[in-house]
Amino acid sequence: MTDPSIDAPPIDESTAETLRERALTTLVTARARTTLLTSCVEEPDLTAQHSPLMSPLVWDLAHIGNQEELWLLRAVAGREAMRPEIDGLYDAFEHPRSERPSLPLLPPAEARTYAAEVRGRVMDVLEGAAFHGTRLTEAGFAFGMIAQHEQQHDETMLITHQLRKGPQALAAPDPDPVPLFTGPAEVLVPGGPFTMGTSTEPWALDNERPAHRREVASFHIDTTPVTNGAYQAFIEDGGYDDARWWTPEGWAHIRTHRIQAPLFWHRDGKQWLRRRFGVTEVVPADEPVLHVCWYEADAYARWAGRRLPTEAEWEKAARHDPATGRSTRYPWGDADPLPEHANLGQRHLRPAPAGSYPQGESPLGVRQLIGDVWEWTSSDLAPYPGFEAFPYKEYSEVFFGPDYKVLRGGSFAVDQVACRGTFRNWDYPIRRQIFSGFRTARSAGDA
């Protein structure tokens, strides 16, 4: 772990207290969610592997504590390792998910105790944190990184809950009902330059940096994400049986695995049903489609005579304000998300109907760019010009290349600390267990 010094003046006590309060709030919020996700089921469900794609919940729990110890107690505070013998067990790169159930993992009670002991010591470190002097401590970056890490694993654990068989273990109120969206189907995003990425967001991760100029030609983008109802039309038109709409790799994948609909869907007579966190229900036509892989999103876009937006197009639609020429932190401006802006933080256990959150739309009128569903883009994960890996290359750098497709915008399972207009997610194009959907685009000159 390297933590280079930076040439920055000390901050005043008022600023330090604001940073301390923000770090405390985000860490406490993340831990409350972790506790909920690991206390709502019995021990056998914590230690079981519910899918070879996912870790046992108890692995995530101890891994969260171990990463917090590594970065906040050892790297920031310089303290001795509490349990160095478990570092290898909870190294995500040393053991793939499929192997983790066979490891000598800490049992649930011991994992909880370990994570709690780490957190208690972290609270002491936070109380005296200086928030300047090194890149890890500047503006509380390390605390923000760990809060984001925990929330990312909370989303992973929520995915595990969705994959888990058995009765409902989690509950949350549904999003508020809204009238059927009757606005324009698409929005024109004018061509020209905009600022992509960030050099100023204090807790932004390395792949979001640095800010740089991008030139984007005029294009149209869907006002809302593609809905279940629209996607059903693709299914009913034989979309899964027509090779014209699929890349060769996508066609081979769906034929090999006999995929005929989004994950967790099944047909019951003339209607489609889905399983959602242990409950079977009719697929709601007005919600954004969920649990589709990149190949499915790409095939739908081709069938519709459109395409997936590039990552740069997505970010311009989300952040560019043509009136000022600025790129804002979020579609609605620079203010942190409020409940009226977006569906975030596991407040609900489903996407909100398409067209929801008008107060969260972009200056151009594009809605639901943040929250609800992760949105596949056409872009491979690549570094920005001037990228520098920090604080470790395994966070982003090892994933750069054509194997991973970029997703943007977050989902209902994402906390606001791990979601902003510059935040980048990525996964293999075959992945469907994630909370993924999409919207489509077309070039301005296309019919």
Side-chain angles (χ1 to χ4, degrees), residues 261-300:
L263 188 61
F264 307 115
W265 284 31
H266 70 273
R267 194 191 292 273
D268 180 27
K270 294 184 178 181
Q271 66 180 355
W272 284 99
L273 304 179
R274 71 177 181 188
R275 181 172 59 82
R276 183 178 61 85
F277 297 108
V279 175
T280 298
E281 61 189 13
V282 175
V283 172
D286 60 348
E287 279 186 15
V289 68
L290 190 62
H291 297 302
V292 290
C293 70
W294 184 89
Y295 291 131
E296 291 170 292
D298 179 68
Y300 172 95

Short mmCIF file of all heavy atoms in Angstrom, two decimals, residues 261-300:
data_model
loop_
_atom_site.label_atom_id
_atom_site.label_comp_id
_atom_site.label_asym_id
_atom_site.label_seq_id
_atom_site.Cartn_x
_atom_site.Cartn_y
_atom_site.Cartn_z
N ALA A 261 -35.94 -15.23 -21.78
CA ALA A 261 -36.55 -14.07 -21.10
C ALA A 261 -35.56 -13.59 -20.05
O ALA A 261 -34.57 -14.28 -19.75
CB ALA A 261 -37.87 -14.48 -20.44
N PRO A 262 -35.79 -12.41 -19.47
CA PRO A 262 -34.92 -11.96 -18.38
C PRO A 262 -34.85 -12.97 -17.24
O PRO A 262 -35.78 -13.77 -17.04
CB PRO A 262 -35.59 -10.65 -17.93
CG PRO A 262 -36.29 -10.15 -19.15
CD PRO A 262 -36.80 -11.39 -19.84
N LEU A 263 -33.77 -12.93 -16.51
CA LEU A 263 -33.60 -13.83 -15.37
C LEU A 263 -34.73 -13.62 -14.37
O LEU A 263 -35.19 -12.49 -14.16
CB LEU A 263 -32.25 -13.54 -14.69
CG LEU A 263 -31.81 -14.50 -13.59
CD1 LEU A 263 -31.65 -15.92 -14.12
CD2 LEU A 263 -30.49 -14.01 -12.99
N PHE A 264 -35.20 -14.71 -13.79
CA PHE A 264 -36.27 -14.76 -12.79
C PHE A 264 -37.66 -14.65 -13.40
O PHE A 264 -38.65 -14.65 -12.67
CB PHE A 264 -36.10 -13.70 -11.68
CG PHE A 264 -34.74 -13.74 -11.03
CD1 PHE A 264 -33.86 -12.67 -11.15
CD2 PHE A 264 -34.35 -14.85 -10.29
CE1 PHE A 264 -32.61 -12.71 -10.55
CE2 PHE A 264 -33.10 -14.90 -9.69
CZ PHE A 264 -32.22 -13.82 -9.81
N TRP A 265 -37.79 -14.55 -14.72
CA TRP A 265 -39.11 -14.53 -15.37
C TRP A 265 -39.51 -15.95 -15.76
O TRP A 265 -38.67 -16.79 -16.11
CB TRP A 265 -39.05 -13.71 -16.66
CG TRP A 265 -39.02 -12.22 -16.51
CD1 TRP A 265 -38.47 -11.51 -15.48
CD2 TRP A 265 -39.51 -11.27 -17.45
NE1 TRP A 265 -38.59 -10.16 -15.73
CE2 TRP A 265 -39.23 -9.99 -16.92
CE3 TRP A 265 -40.16 -11.38 -18.67
CZ2 TRP A 265 -39.58 -8.82 -17.61
CZ3 TRP A 265 -40.51 -10.21 -19.35
CH2 TRP A 265 -40.23 -8.95 -18.82
N HIS A 266 -40.81 -16.21 -15.73
CA HIS A 266 -41.36 -17.42 -16.36
C HIS A 266 -42.78 -17.14 -16.82
O HIS A 266 -43.48 -16.30 -16.25
CB HIS A 266 -41.31 -18.62 -15.41
CG HIS A 266 -42.26 -18.53 -14.25
ND1 HIS A 266 -41.93 -17.90 -13.06
CD2 HIS A 266 -43.51 -19.01 -14.08
CE1 HIS A 266 -42.94 -17.98 -12.22
NE2 HIS A 266 -43.92 -18.65 -12.82
N ARG A 267 -43.20 -17.84 -17.86
CA ARG A 267 -44.52 -17.62 -18.42
C ARG A 267 -45.54 -18.51 -17.72
O ARG A 267 -45.30 -19.68 -17.46
CB ARG A 267 -44.52 -17.90 -19.92
CG ARG A 267 -45.76 -17.37 -20.63
CD ARG A 267 -45.83 -17.91 -22.06
NE ARG A 267 -44.78 -17.39 -22.92
CZ ARG A 267 -44.87 -16.26 -23.60
NH1 ARG A 267 -45.96 -15.51 -23.50
NH2 ARG A 267 -43.89 -15.88 -24.40
N ASP A 268 -46.69 -17.93 -17.42
CA ASP A 268 -47.82 -18.66 -16.83
C ASP A 268 -49.03 -18.39 -17.71
O ASP A 268 -49.70 -17.36 -17.56
CB ASP A 268 -48.06 -18.21 -15.40
CG ASP A 268 -49.22 -18.94 -14.74
OD1 ASP A 268 -49.51 -20.09 -15.16
OD2 ASP A 268 -49.86 -18.37 -13.84
N GLY A 269 -49.28 -19.30 -18.64
CA GLY A 269 -50.35 -19.06 -19.59
C GLY A 269 -49.99 -17.90 -20.50
O GLY A 269 -48.96 -17.91 -21.18
N LYS A 270 -50.81 -16.86 -20.49
CA LYS A 270 -50.58 -15.71 -21.35
C LYS A 270 -49.83 -14.57 -20.66
O LYS A 270 -49.59 -13.53 -21.27
CB LYS A 270 -51.92 -15.18 -21.88
CG LYS A 270 -52.62 -16.15 -22.82
CD LYS A 270 -53.90 -15.53 -23.38
CE LYS A 270 -54.59 -16.47 -24.36
NZ LYS A 270 -55.83 -15.86 -24.92
N GLN A 271 -49.48 -14.76 -19.40
CA GLN A 271 -48.82 -13.67 -18.70
C GLN A 271 -47.44 -14.10 -18.21
O GLN A 271 -47.15 -15.28 -18.04
CB GLN A 271 -49.66 -13.20 -17.51
CG GLN A 271 -49.81 -14.20 -16.39
CD GLN A 271 -50.66 -13.68 -15.25
OE1 GLN A 271 -51.08 -12.53 -15.23
NE2 GLN A 271 -50.94 -14.53 -14.27
N TRP A 272 -46.60 -13.10 -17.99
CA TRP A 272 -45.27 -13.33 -17.46
C TRP A 272 -45.28 -13.05 -15.96
O TRP A 272 -45.82 -12.05 -15.50
CB TRP A 272 -44.25 -12.42 -18.15
CG TRP A 272 -43.88 -12.86 -19.52
CD1 TRP A 272 -44.38 -12.38 -20.71
CD2 TRP A 272 -42.94 -13.87 -19.88
NE1 TRP A 272 -43.81 -13.03 -21.77
CE2 TRP A 272 -42.91 -13.95 -21.28
CE3 TRP A 272 -42.11 -14.72 -19.14
CZ2 TRP A 272 -42.08 -14.84 -21.96
CZ3 TRP A 272 -41.29 -15.61 -19.81
CH2 TRP A 272 -41.27 -15.66 -21.21
N LEU A 273 -44.64 -13.97 -15.22
CA LEU A 273 -44.43 -13.79 -13.80
C LEU A 273 -42.94 -13.67 -13.51
O LEU A 273 -42.11 -14.09 -14.31
CB LEU A 273 -45.00 -14.98 -13.01
CG LEU A 273 -46.47 -15.32 -13.20
CD1 LEU A 273 -46.84 -16.54 -12.36
CD2 LEU A 273 -47.37 -14.13 -12.86
N ARG A 274 -42.62 -13.11 -12.36
CA ARG A 274 -41.23 -13.05 -11.94
C ARG A 274 -41.13 -13.35 -10.45
O ARG A 274 -42.09 -13.16 -9.71
CB ARG A 274 -40.61 -11.67 -12.23
CG ARG A 274 -41.14 -10.55 -11.34
CD ARG A 274 -40.46 -9.23 -11.63
NE ARG A 274 -40.95 -8.16 -10.76
CZ ARG A 274 -40.64 -6.88 -10.90
NH1 ARG A 274 -39.86 -6.49 -11.90
NH2 ARG A 274 -41.12 -5.97 -10.06
N ARG A 275 -39.96 -13.82 -10.05
CA ARG A 275 -39.67 -14.01 -8.63
C ARG A 275 -38.81 -12.85 -8.16
O ARG A 275 -37.77 -12.57 -8.75
CB ARG A 275 -38.96 -15.34 -8.39
CG ARG A 275 -38.66 -15.62 -6.93
CD ARG A 275 -38.15 -17.04 -6.73
NE ARG A 275 -36.93 -17.29 -7.49
CZ ARG A 275 -35.70 -16.95 -7.08
NH1 ARG A 275 -35.55 -16.30 -5.95
NH2 ARG A 275 -34.65 -17.24 -7.82
N ARG A 276 -39.24 -12.18 -7.10
CA ARG A 276 -38.52 -11.01 -6.59
C ARG A 276 -38.40 -11.13 -5.08
O ARG A 276 -39.36 -11.01 -4.35
CB ARG A 276 -39.26 -9.73 -6.98
CG ARG A 276 -38.55 -8.44 -6.56
CD ARG A 276 -39.32 -7.21 -7.03
NE ARG A 276 -40.65 -7.15 -6.47
CZ ARG A 276 -40.95 -6.64 -5.27
NH1 ARG A 276 -39.98 -6.16 -4.49
NH2 ARG A 276 -42.20 -6.63 -4.84
N PHE A 277 -37.21 -11.45 -4.61
CA PHE A 277 -36.91 -11.57 -3.18
C PHE A 277 -37.90 -12.50 -2.48
O PHE A 277 -38.47 -12.17 -1.44
CB PHE A 277 -36.88 -10.19 -2.51
CG PHE A 277 -35.80 -9.30 -3.05
CD1 PHE A 277 -36.11 -8.22 -3.87
CD2 PHE A 277 -34.46 -9.57 -2.79
CE1 PHE A 277 -35.10 -7.41 -4.39
CE2 PHE A 277 -33.45 -8.77 -3.31
CZ PHE A 277 -33.77 -7.69 -4.10
N GLY A 278 -38.13 -13.65 -3.09
CA GLY A 278 -38.96 -14.67 -2.48
C GLY A 278 -40.44 -14.57 -2.76
O GLY A 278 -41.21 -15.42 -2.31
N VAL A 279 -40.86 -13.56 -3.52
CA VAL A 279 -42.27 -13.37 -3.83
C VAL A 279 -42.45 -13.52 -5.34
O VAL A 279 -41.68 -12.96 -6.13
CB VAL A 279 -42.75 -11.97 -3.39
CG1 VAL A 279 -44.18 -11.73 -3.82
CG2 VAL A 279 -42.62 -11.83 -1.87
N THR A 280 -43.46 -14.27 -5.75
CA THR A 280 -43.79 -14.39 -7.17
C THR A 280 -44.91 -13.42 -7.51
O THR A 280 -45.92 -13.35 -6.80
CB THR A 280 -44.22 -15.83 -7.51
OG1 THR A 280 -43.12 -16.71 -7.24
CG2 THR A 280 -44.61 -15.96 -8.98
N GLU A 281 -44.75 -12.67 -8.59
CA GLU A 281 -45.71 -11.62 -8.94
C GLU A 281 -45.77 -11.45 -10.44
O GLU A 281 -44.86 -11.88 -11.17
CB GLU A 281 -45.31 -10.29 -8.28
CG GLU A 281 -43.94 -9.79 -8.72
CD GLU A 281 -43.44 -8.60 -7.91
OE1 GLU A 281 -44.01 -8.30 -6.86
OE2 GLU A 281 -42.45 -7.97 -8.35
N VAL A 282 -46.83 -10.85 -10.91
CA VAL A 282 -46.94 -10.52 -12.33
C VAL A 282 -45.90 -9.46 -12.68
O VAL A 282 -45.68 -8.50 -11.91
CB VAL A 282 -48.36 -10.00 -12.65
CG1 VAL A 282 -48.46 -9.53 -14.10
CG2 VAL A 282 -49.39 -11.08 -12.36
N VAL A 283 -45.25 -9.64 -13.80
CA VAL A 283 -44.25 -8.65 -14.23
C VAL A 283 -44.95 -7.33 -14.51
O VAL A 283 -45.85 -7.27 -15.37
CB VAL A 283 -43.51 -9.15 -15.48
CG1 VAL A 283 -42.62 -8.05 -16.05
CG2 VAL A 283 -42.69 -10.39 -15.17
N PRO A 284 -44.59 -6.25 -13.81
CA PRO A 284 -45.25 -4.96 -14.02
C PRO A 284 -44.77 -4.31 -15.31
O PRO A 284 -43.58 -4.08 -15.51
CB PRO A 284 -44.85 -4.14 -12.80
CG PRO A 284 -43.58 -4.75 -12.32
CD PRO A 284 -43.60 -6.20 -12.72
N ALA A 285 -45.69 -4.00 -16.19
CA ALA A 285 -45.33 -3.52 -17.53
C ALA A 285 -44.63 -2.17 -17.50
O ALA A 285 -43.82 -1.88 -18.39
CB ALA A 285 -46.59 -3.42 -18.40
N ASP A 286 -44.92 -1.33 -16.49
CA ASP A 286 -44.40 0.03 -16.51
C ASP A 286 -43.07 0.21 -15.80
O ASP A 286 -42.51 1.29 -15.78
CB ASP A 286 -45.43 1.01 -15.93
CG ASP A 286 -45.79 0.68 -14.49
OD1 ASP A 286 -45.44 -0.42 -14.02
OD2 ASP A 286 -46.44 1.53 -13.83
N GLU A 287 -42.53 -0.85 -15.21
CA GLU A 287 -41.22 -0.74 -14.56
C GLU A 287 -40.09 -0.94 -15.57
O GLU A 287 -40.25 -1.68 -16.54
CB GLU A 287 -41.06 -1.81 -13.47
CG GLU A 287 -41.70 -1.47 -12.15
CD GLU A 287 -41.38 -2.51 -11.09
OE1 GLU A 287 -40.43 -3.32 -11.29
OE2 GLU A 287 -42.07 -2.53 -10.07
N PRO A 288 -38.93 -0.32 -15.33
CA PRO A 288 -37.77 -0.64 -16.15
C PRO A 288 -37.44 -2.13 -16.09
O PRO A 288 -37.50 -2.74 -15.02
CB PRO A 288 -36.66 0.20 -15.53
CG PRO A 288 -37.37 1.36 -14.89
CD PRO A 288 -38.66 0.78 -14.38
N VAL A 289 -37.10 -2.70 -17.23
CA VAL A 289 -36.74 -4.13 -17.26
C VAL A 289 -35.47 -4.33 -16.44
O VAL A 289 -34.58 -3.47 -16.40
CB VAL A 289 -36.58 -4.62 -18.71
CG1 VAL A 289 -35.37 -4.00 -19.39
CG2 VAL A 289 -36.51 -6.15 -18.75
N LEU A 290 -35.40 -5.48 -15.80
CA LEU A 290 -34.34 -5.76 -14.83
C LEU A 290 -33.79 -7.16 -15.08
O LEU A 290 -34.50 -8.04 -15.60
CB LEU A 290 -34.95 -5.67 -13.42
CG LEU A 290 -34.05 -5.70 -12.20
CD1 LEU A 290 -33.11 -4.50 -12.19
CD2 LEU A 290 -34.91 -5.69 -10.93
N HIS A 291 -32.53 -7.37 -14.72
CA HIS A 291 -31.89 -8.68 -14.83
C HIS A 291 -31.74 -9.14 -16.28
O HIS A 291 -32.04 -10.29 -16.63
CB HIS A 291 -32.63 -9.74 -14.01
CG HIS A 291 -32.63 -9.46 -12.54
ND1 HIS A 291 -31.47 -9.33 -11.80
CD2 HIS A 291 -33.65 -9.27 -11.65
CE1 HIS A 291 -31.78 -9.08 -10.54
NE2 HIS A 291 -33.09 -9.03 -10.42
N VAL A 292 -31.28 -8.22 -17.13
CA VAL A 292 -30.91 -8.59 -18.50
C VAL A 292 -29.41 -8.40 -18.65
O VAL A 292 -28.81 -7.49 -18.07
CB VAL A 292 -31.67 -7.77 -19.56
CG1 VAL A 292 -33.13 -8.14 -19.60
CG2 VAL A 292 -31.50 -6.27 -19.32
N CYS A 293 -28.79 -9.26 -19.45
CA CYS A 293 -27.37 -9.13 -19.71
C CYS A 293 -27.13 -8.15 -20.86
O CYS A 293 -28.07 -7.70 -21.53
CB CYS A 293 -26.75 -10.49 -20.02
SG CYS A 293 -27.23 -11.23 -21.60
N TRP A 294 -25.86 -7.85 -21.10
CA TRP A 294 -25.52 -6.90 -22.17
C TRP A 294 -25.99 -7.43 -23.51
O TRP A 294 -26.49 -6.67 -24.34
CB TRP A 294 -24.01 -6.66 -22.19
CG TRP A 294 -23.58 -5.62 -23.18
CD1 TRP A 294 -23.47 -4.28 -22.98
CD2 TRP A 294 -23.22 -5.84 -24.56
NE1 TRP A 294 -23.07 -3.64 -24.12
CE2 TRP A 294 -22.91 -4.57 -25.11
CE3 TRP A 294 -23.16 -6.97 -25.36
CZ2 TRP A 294 -22.51 -4.42 -26.44
CZ3 TRP A 294 -22.77 -6.82 -26.69
CH2 TRP A 294 -22.45 -5.56 -27.22
N TYR A 295 -25.83 -8.73 -23.74
CA TYR A 295 -26.25 -9.29 -25.02
C TYR A 295 -27.74 -9.09 -25.25
O TYR A 295 -28.18 -8.80 -26.38
CB TYR A 295 -25.92 -10.79 -25.07
CG TYR A 295 -24.44 -11.10 -25.14
CD1 TYR A 295 -23.88 -12.04 -24.28
CD2 TYR A 295 -23.60 -10.47 -26.06
CE1 TYR A 295 -22.53 -12.35 -24.35
CE2 TYR A 295 -22.26 -10.76 -26.12
CZ TYR A 295 -21.72 -11.71 -25.26
OH TYR A 295 -20.38 -12.00 -25.33
N GLU A 296 -28.55 -9.25 -24.21
CA GLU A 296 -29.99 -9.04 -24.34
C GLU A 296 -30.31 -7.58 -24.61
O GLU A 296 -31.17 -7.25 -25.44
CB GLU A 296 -30.70 -9.53 -23.08
CG GLU A 296 -30.67 -11.04 -22.89
CD GLU A 296 -31.16 -11.46 -21.53
OE1 GLU A 296 -30.47 -11.18 -20.53
OE2 GLU A 296 -32.24 -12.08 -21.45
N ALA A 297 -29.65 -6.68 -23.88
CA ALA A 297 -29.87 -5.25 -24.09
C ALA A 297 -29.49 -4.85 -25.52
O ALA A 297 -30.22 -4.10 -26.19
CB ALA A 297 -29.06 -4.44 -23.07
N ASP A 298 -28.37 -5.33 -25.98
CA ASP A 298 -27.90 -5.01 -27.33
C ASP A 298 -28.86 -5.56 -28.38
O ASP A 298 -29.16 -4.89 -29.39
CB ASP A 298 -26.49 -5.58 -27.51
CG ASP A 298 -25.94 -5.32 -28.89
OD1 ASP A 298 -25.66 -4.16 -29.22
OD2 ASP A 298 -25.79 -6.30 -29.67
N ALA A 299 -29.35 -6.79 -28.18
CA ALA A 299 -30.28 -7.40 -29.14
C ALA A 299 -31.59 -6.62 -29.19
O ALA A 299 -32.14 -6.38 -30.29
CB ALA A 299 -30.53 -8.85 -28.77
N TYR A 300 -32.11 -6.22 -28.04
CA TYR A 300 -33.34 -5.44 -28.03
C TYR A 300 -33.13 -4.14 -28.81
O TYR A 300 -33.99 -3.73 -29.61
CB TYR A 300 -33.78 -5.12 -26.60
CG TYR A 300 -34.94 -4.15 -26.55
CD1 TYR A 300 -36.24 -4.61 -26.47
CD2 TYR A 300 -34.73 -2.76 -26.62
CE1 TYR A 300 -37.31 -3.72 -26.44
CE2 TYR A 300 -35.79 -1.87 -26.62
CZ TYR A 300 -37.07 -2.36 -26.52
OH TYR A 300 -38.14 -1.47 -26.52
#
